[in-house]
């Protein structure tokens, strides 16, 4: 595949053979994609049209509760796990938004991607906006909230596909709200498609000036195939497998991408997304509903407003697609609720991101001298703990729904503690490997690891508050 007609195909191992199979059998993959689109549409739209469940309804007796369990109890938590285990296979094979935006771009205007759309800050902005909106609309609790957030994102993906690109996934590459998170987590995957640059160069040299009859490759997420060394942007769709006898699916160490590639590829934008997003915005979103600090802050503001005869923030509500508004469930947000929710999440993001930045700066300095690129690189050691935190936060919904069905799950906090301990050790291991790229002397490396340990301790404290402290 991808070679000159008549050339002997190179020998491949089983993993590389799987990649070639993915390229040769596009129809089964496309069928899977559209089946997922249909399932996604059904679970997103139909429950929003049904009456809200009452407290007696359960996962196996009510479609709305089942849909919530599938989306928030299984779908999204295990999508995160798939990123760590398989790379972005979800994006390339299963994601309904990816399928729809690519299909739309085949019949759309095909315009060039403007410079503003390629801004590297969109992953953080998208993650922040979607998280805030999801909390305002109670996306985990109500099907209409899920329809507003997920459906709105899907409609935006289709519109972008209709305007930009030609058979590509411009939305996925630049604007998807979870693209940045997936790019970080996929760095841990033990498999990826990789270009052998020597084979690429040899192929071009061998066939220079000759008419070559080989299948062209149209990479949906717009990855420059010659530089395909990291798993971050690759959607693992298999379309490029075997191209120029240089690209294949390979196994690798789960630390390779972070220790080696991130040394030059880690960016400020990823640093911000990781520290202020995954450890800030996400933790604030998971915290606020259980936080006594949130309750105290809201009560203090309410008392101040009443004492100053300013009542409209306490009495004004908004439609359900802006702020939670379900009076039949005794669940209505007023403007003060919405303002306090946003304030709490943003404040958590600012505090957590700033503290973690300072502790990582300390680790960077203790390693000897100062290097901004090294700071970005050190932050990547925290990726396992970042992904694990979001998984634990989302799986809290899983636990809530299962307990609502009568399961006790006495062991869940022990499992959470074990996972956090494992994630912390993984991050420390990556930190040790990263420091070895810059200093061989043991003392500076241990000093930097101590700084990284302080960073991890702050993160663990935030999760301790949620699961054990309050």
């Amino acid at each position: 595949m991808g070679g000159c007609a008549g050339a002997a195909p190179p020998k491949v191992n089983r993993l590389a053979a799987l990649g070639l199979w993915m390229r040769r059998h596009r129809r089964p993959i496309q069928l899977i994609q559209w089946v997922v689109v249909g399932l996604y549409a059904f679970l997103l739209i139909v429950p929003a049209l049904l009456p809200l469940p009452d407290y007696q309804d359960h996962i196996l007796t009510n479609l709305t509760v089942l849909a919530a369990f599938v989306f928030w109890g299984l779908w999204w938590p295990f999508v995160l796990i798939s990123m760590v285990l398989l790379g972005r296979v979800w994006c390339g094979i299963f994601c309904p938004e990816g399928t729809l935006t690519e299909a739309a771009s085949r019949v759309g205007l095909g315009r060039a991607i403007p410079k503003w759309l390629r801004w590297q800050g969109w992953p953080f902005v998208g993650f922040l906006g979607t998280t805030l909106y999801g909390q305002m609309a109670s996306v985990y609790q109500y099907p209409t909230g899920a329809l507003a957030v997920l459906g709105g994102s899907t409609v935006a993906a289709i519109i972008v596909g209709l305007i930009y690109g030609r058979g590509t996934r411009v939305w996925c590459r630049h604007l998807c709200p979870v693209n940045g998170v997936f790019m970080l987590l996929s760095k841990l995957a033990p498999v990826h498609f990789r270009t052998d640059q020597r084979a690429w160069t040899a192929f071009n040299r061998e066939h220079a000036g000759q008419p070559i009859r080989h299948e062209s490759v149209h990479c949906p997420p717009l990855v420059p195939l010659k530089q395909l060394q990291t798993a971050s942007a690759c959607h693992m769709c298999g379309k490029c497998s075997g191209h120029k006898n240089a690209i294949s699916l390979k196994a690798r160490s789960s630390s390779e991408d972070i220790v080696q590639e991130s040394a030059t590829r880690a960016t400020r934008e990823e640093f911000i997304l990781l520290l202020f997003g995954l450890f800030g915005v996400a933790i604030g979103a998971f915290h606020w509903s259980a936080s006594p600090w949130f309750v105290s802050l809201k009560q203090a503001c309410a008392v101040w407003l009443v004492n100053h005869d300013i009542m409209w923030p306490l009495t004004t509500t908004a439609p359900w697609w802006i702020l939670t508004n379900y009076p039949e469930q005794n669940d209505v947000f007023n403007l003060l609720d919405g303002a306090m929710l946003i304030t709490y999440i943003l404040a958590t993001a600012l505090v957590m991101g700033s503290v973690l930045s300072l502790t990582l700066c300390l680790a960077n300095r203790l390693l000897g001298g100062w290097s901004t690129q090294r700071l970005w690189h050190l932050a990547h050691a925290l990726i396992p703990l970042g992904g694990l935190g979001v998984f634990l936060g989302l799986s809290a919904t899983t636990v809530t729904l299962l307990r609502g069905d009568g399961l006790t799950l006495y062991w869940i906090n022990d499992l959470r503690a074990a996972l956090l301990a494992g994630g912390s050790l993984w991050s420390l291991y990556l930190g040790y490997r990263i420091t070895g790229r810059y200093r061989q002397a043991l003392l500076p490396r241990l000093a930097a690891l101590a700084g990284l340990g302080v960073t991890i301790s702050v993160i663990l404290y935030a999760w301790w508050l949620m699961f054990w402290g309050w």
Side-chain angles (χ1 to χ4, degrees):
M1 296 295 295
C4 182
K11 294 182 179 179
V12 295
N13 59 31
R14 291 184 179 181
L15 202 55
L18 174 61
L20 292 173
W21 183 92
M22 292 172 67
R23 181 174 181 178
R24 293 167 180 157
H25 297 82
R26 299 308 304 172
R27 287 189 177 181
I29 292 176
Q30 290 171 348
L31 176 62
I32 292 172
Q33 290 174 328
W34 287 106
V35 167
V36 173
V37 168
L39 177 63
Y40 171 77
F42 177 82
L43 292 176
L44 190 63
I45 296 173
V46 174
L49 302 176
L50 298 175
L52 289 174
D54 58 36
Y55 296 107
Q56 304 302 318
D57 290 318
H58 299 289
I59 293 172
L60 298 180
T61 63
N62 184 276
L63 179 61
T64 300
V65 181
L66 175 63
F69 181 71
V70 170
F71 272 132
W72 310 116
L74 297 176
W75 190 312
W76 281 108
F78 286 95
V79 164
L80 296 179
I81 291 178
S82 77
M83 295 294 155
V84 176
L85 297 179
L86 301 171
R88 300 183 65 169
V89 169
W90 162 260
C91 299
I93 306 298
F94 301 103
C95 179
E97 286 191 359
T99 300
L100 290 169
T101 195
E102 183 178 349
S105 71
R106 293 195 187 99
V107 297
L109 300 176
R111 292 181 179 175
I113 305 172
K115 184 177 181 180
W116 66 265
L117 197 148
R118 290 182 275 114
W119 178 51
Q120 293 186 354
W122 283 124
F124 176 74
V125 172
F127 181 77
L128 172 63
T130 303
T131 302
L132 289 176
Y133 185 36
Q135 296 303 304
M136 291 165 59
S138 294
V139 67
Y140 303 140
Q141 289 77 30
Y142 297 105
T144 46
L147 180 63
V149 176
L150 299 180
S153 176
T154 302
V155 170
I158 294 172
I159 292 173
V160 169
L162 289 172
I163 298 174
Y164 301 111
R166 178 65 69 183
T168 57
R169 298 187 174 194
V170 175
W171 167 264
C172 304
R173 179 61 186 271
H174 298 291
L175 296 177
C176 173
V178 289
N179 175 51
V181 177
F182 290 170
M183 289 182 72
L184 291 174
L185 295 184
S186 62
K187 292 178 181 294
L188 299 169
V191 294
H192 71 148
F193 282 98
R194 185 181 182 95
T195 298
D196 183 334
Q197 295 187 348
R198 288 185 298 179
W200 183 289
T201 302
F203 183 91
N204 286 344
R205 185 186 303 116
E206 179 182 354
H207 301 289
Q210 301 177 16
I212 303 173
R213 299 189 302 276
H214 64 83
E215 295 182 33
S216 62
V217 175
H218 193 60
C219 179
L222 304 167
V223 176
L225 296 180
K226 186 178 180 180
Q227 286 80 41
L228 183 55
Q229 305 297 312
T230 175
S232 289
C234 175
H235 282 195
M236 299 286 287
C237 64
K239 290 183 178 180
C240 65
S241 184
H243 182 57
K244 294 190 176 183
N245 296 333
I247 302 178
S248 60
L249 184 61
K250 297 181 177 180
R252 62 173 186 174
S253 165
S254 60
S255 62
E256 177 184 327
D257 208 326
I258 289 176
V259 175
Q260 304 297 332
E261 297 296 330
S262 292
T264 56
R265 296 177 185 269
T267 65
R268 176 186 59 190
E269 289 76 16
E270 291 174 339
F271 181 89
I272 293 172
L273 174 62
L274 185 58
L275 270 61
F276 291 83
L278 292 184
F279 296 125
V281 173
I283 287 178
F286 293 130
H287 265 204
W288 73 268
S289 60
S291 171
W293 302 338
F294 175 81
V295 174
S296 298
L297 176 64
K298 189 176 73 170
Q299 288 177 343
C301 290
V303 169
W304 187 90
L305 289 170
V306 171
N307 289 340
H308 289 78
D309 199 27
I310 304 174
M311 303 303 295
W312 60 267
L314 302 172
T315 59
T316 305
T317 60
W320 60 264
W321 46 271
I322 298 177
L323 277 177
T324 301
N325 194 337
Y326 301 94
E328 66 276 19
Q329 302 290 315
N330 296 316
D331 192 5
V332 178
F333 286 3
N334 56 38
L335 293 189
L336 177 62
D337 293 323
M340 289 298 99
L341 184 157
I342 294 172
T343 299
Y344 186 90
I345 294 175
L346 293 180
T348 302
L350 181 61
V351 171
M352 286 292 294
S354 299
V355 171
L356 298 180
S357 297
L358 289 174
T359 56
L360 274 183
C361 286
L362 173 64
N364 186 28
R365 185 65 182 85
L366 290 173
L367 197 56
W370 177 265
S371 168
T372 302
Q373 182 60 39
R374 189 174 66 196
L375 177 63
W376 309 152
H377 191 192
L378 282 171
H380 280 201
L382 299 172
I383 290 175
L385 204 50
L388 176 62
V390 176
F391 171 80
L392 289 177
L394 288 172
S395 64
T397 301
T398 313
V399 172
T400 299
L401 290 170
L402 290 176
R403 282 177 172 166
D405 269 23
L407 298 179
T408 53
L409 305 179
Y410 292 121
W411 45 266
I412 194 65
N413 276 344
D414 293 334
L415 177 60
R416 287 165 172 163
L419 289 174
L420 287 170
S424 300
L425 291 174
W426 193 354
S427 288
L428 284 172
Y429 169 74
L430 290 174
Y432 183 76
R433 292 285 308 278
I434 290 171
T435 59
R437 287 187 57 90
Y438 303 101
R439 293 293 296 273
Q440 293 300 313
L442 183 60
L443 187 59
R445 294 177 70 180
L446 291 178
L449 279 181
L452 183 63
V454 174
T455 307
I456 292 172
S457 297
V458 174
I459 298 167
L460 293 179
Y461 175 70
W463 288 114
W464 176 83
L465 283 176
M466 178 171 176
F467 295 125
W468 295 279
W470 288 330

